[in-house]
Every structure is written in C-alpha cells, then in structure tokens.
Amino acid sequence: MENKERKKCPQLGCTKEIYLTGEEALEEIERILGTQRKINDKKPCRAYRCDCGFYALTSKPKITEY
C-alpha cells in the first residue's frame, strides 16, 4: 500500500488504521519492517481481524485467532 492517508476503523472512538484484506495488512507489515525509519520502539508484527470486519496491525505477538 502506498504511503497515503489510510482508512480508519468505522467503530465510534476507534483510531485503528484498517486494511480491506489480510494480504494487504501483511504487505504493510513487510513494508514497515523493511524501513530503517524509527517511528517508535515497536513495529507491527502481525495482522488480525478487527471486530469491525476489517484487518488491523498490532505489535503484540499474542495470537488470538487462527
């Protein structure tokens, strides 16, 4: 995904950036991990399906779904 403004989760009060597919989310993880730019101490390590039905990224390695 290009570096442009990403869609936010439609749930009220949620600020997560969302991805339409799991594949799109994993591509974004690969892009982020491939950069040398340090935004903060944690970089995302997995994608998960959000309650809103879209996919989001997290730096927490705990798997909640298979």
Side-chain angles (χ1 to χ4, degrees):
M1 178 175 251
E2 292 179 20
N3 213 3
K4 59 183 175 182
E5 188 170 326
R6 292 181 180 83
K7 293 181 181 182
K8 299 288 184 187
C9 179
Q11 291 185 349
L12 186 62
C14 186
T15 59
K16 290 183 262 188
E17 293 179 350
I18 58 171
Y19 302 87
L20 300 179
T21 66
E23 184 177 279
E24 188 178 286
L26 292 175
E27 286 175 4
E28 182 64 4
I29 289 174
E30 288 179 21
R31 186 194 69 78
I32 291 169
L33 294 177
T35 65
Q36 296 299 318
R37 187 170 152 209
K38 185 174 181 179
I39 298 170
N40 58 30
D41 290 336
K42 292 184 178 180
K43 288 188 178 185
C45 62
R46 72 177 181 91
Y48 66 96
R49 188 153 183 131
C50 183
D51 292 338
C52 67
F54 296 103
Y55 290 83
L57 307 181
T58 183
S59 59
K60 296 177 183 176
K62 182 181 177 187
I63 296 174
T64 58
E65 263 186 50
Y66 292 97

